[in-house]
């Protein structure tokens, strides 16, 4: 996507009530006529996230800008690990063309900043402290680590004021939560990692005869609690060929390495499993096969199916569901800080893991 004489607008509060959080702020870009650029809007299904709905949002069309280097727009940085990985598809597309460029890549961000989200931007030429556009203003270490994995920590900038551009370069989203995955997504994901990290991962030799079980049993909060994982872990803990791994205890680089080290990775659906799309390979057999356990069809987002179809991995799903649990389990999950709980057939999971381990 290329837009001449465009303008990026920072994130602003709309005054909408908190019930519809996706309407509470607006951000995006304007073309030379002052119209919102639809390709810069994120989506969840058919719902626009922080979209510019009005013709100009009270803005005047961009003034004529002196020709110069293109302004590169990478999308929005989200705190949720899954959205951080998948909703930055614009950035991955840019890296296919501008990896060797020194031009900054600009991002929207709604999370906490050093000094507070609503701290007034200061001039880049001011003395004392980091630039208000510096990525180091972000408090979230996971975001900073992922940008480092992409080789972008020094190039990344935050949009905190209007940014006119003689030429705005970006991409339409290649991923839409619960809706679609573009056929371009796998190639873009493969171009995402910094070359040095990619080479390091390519040197990892697989450990034959071992499988990894990615466990969520230590998590204290999140989207889904799988009731019974403690029993699964207890049953397989001493097996010589099964490694129980808690992804939250690993760095992102260590998580990426799992997909080069293990021939087979198993576990319930979790954001860490999206890293398979970024692990380097020339043939799909060079990265771990994946068997994903699901606790009934409602516990698995269509994202997983769409992503796998786009990449052509042919990973497997095993339905381990039981009849819906009682209200006591739902209450336990809510008290533990989870949005929902899912019960599953513990013995089926254990049997499957033992059979896979041989």
């Amino acid at each position: 996507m290329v837009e001449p004489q465009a303008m990026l607008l920072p994130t602003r509060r709309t005054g909408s009530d908190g019930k519809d959080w996706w309407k509470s702020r607006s951000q995006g870009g304007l073309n030379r006529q002052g119209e919102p650029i639809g390709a810069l809007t994120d989506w969840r299904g058919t719902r626009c996230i922080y979209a510019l709905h009005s013709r100009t949002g009270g803005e005047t069309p961009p003034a004529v800008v002196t020709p110069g280097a293109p302004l590169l727009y990478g999308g929005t940085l989200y705190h949720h690990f899954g959205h951080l990985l998948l909703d930055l598809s614009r950035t991955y597309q840019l890296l296919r063309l501008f990896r060797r460029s020194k031009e900054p890549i600009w991002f929207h961000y709604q999370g906490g900043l050093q000094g507070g989200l609503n701290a007034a931007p200061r001039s880049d030429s001011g003395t004392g402290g980091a630039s208000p556009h510096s990525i180091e203003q972000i408090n979230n270490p996971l975001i900073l680590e992922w940008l480092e994995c992409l080789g972008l920590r020094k190039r990344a900038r935050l949009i905190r004021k209007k940014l006119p551009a003689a030429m705005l370069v970006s991409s339409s989203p290649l991923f839409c939560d619960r809706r679609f995955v573009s056929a371009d997504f796998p190639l873009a994901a493969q171009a995402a990692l910094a070359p040095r990290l990619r080479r390091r991962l390519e040197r990892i030799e697989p450990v034959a005869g071992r499988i990894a079980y990615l466990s969520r049993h230590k998590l204290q909060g999140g989207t889904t609690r799988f009731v019974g994982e403690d029993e699964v872990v207890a049953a397989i803990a001493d097996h010589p060929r099964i490694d129980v791994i808690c992804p939250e205890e690993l760095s992102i680089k260590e998580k990426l390495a799992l997909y080069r080290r293990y021939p087979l990775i198993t576990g319930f659906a979790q954001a860490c499993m999206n890293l398979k799309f970024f692990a380097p390979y020339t043939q799909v057999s060079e990265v771990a096969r994946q068997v994903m356990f699901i606790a009934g069809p409602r516990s698995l987002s269509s994202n997983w199916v769409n992503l796998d179809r786009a990449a052509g991995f042919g990973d497997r799903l095993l339905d381990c569901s039981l009849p819906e649990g009682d209200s006591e389990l739902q209450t336990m999950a809510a008290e533990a800080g989870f949005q929902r709980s899912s019960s599953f057939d513990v013995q089926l999971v254990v049997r499957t893991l033992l059979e896979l381990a041989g």
Side-chain angles (χ1 to χ4, degrees), residues 72 98-99 101-105 152-157:
L72 309 180
F98 296 95
R99 169 65 71 183
S101 171
K102 294 183 179 180
E103 292 299 319
I105 297 181
L152 292 182
R153 186 149 174 172
K154 293 183 179 180
R155 290 176 63 186
R157 301 289 186 274

Side-chain angles (χ1 to χ4, degrees), residues 250-291:
L250 304 179
S251 69
I252 297 178
K253 293 177 182 177
E254 290 170 331
K255 294 173 187 176
L256 283 163
L258 297 177
Y259 285 92
R260 297 284 302 185
R261 180 171 296 118
Y262 286 94
L264 179 63
I265 290 178
T266 65
F268 286 90
Q270 53 196 282
C272 173
M273 290 178 166
N274 289 315
L275 287 171
K276 178 173 179 176
F277 302 100
F278 301 89
Y281 65 89
T282 53
Q283 298 179 355
V284 295
S285 59
E286 295 173 3
V287 290
R289 291 183 299 119
Q290 201 151 247
V291 175

Side-chain angles (χ1 to χ4, degrees), residues 84-85 88-97 99 105 146-153 155 184-198 201 256 275 277-280:
L84 175 65
L85 296 180
L88 282 186
S89 61
R90 295 181 181 89
T91 297
Y92 312 144
Q93 280 285 66
L94 288 177
L95 287 173
R96 297 175 70 180
L97 299 173
R99 169 65 71 183
I105 297 181
W146 184 234
L147 290 173
E148 182 179 342
C149 289
L150 302 179
L152 292 182
R153 186 149 174 172
R155 290 176 63 186
D184 290 330
F185 181 85
L187 287 176
Q190 283 294 293
L193 297 183
R196 182 179 298 179
L197 174 57
R198 183 183 178 90
L201 293 169
L256 283 163
L275 287 171
F277 302 100
F278 301 89

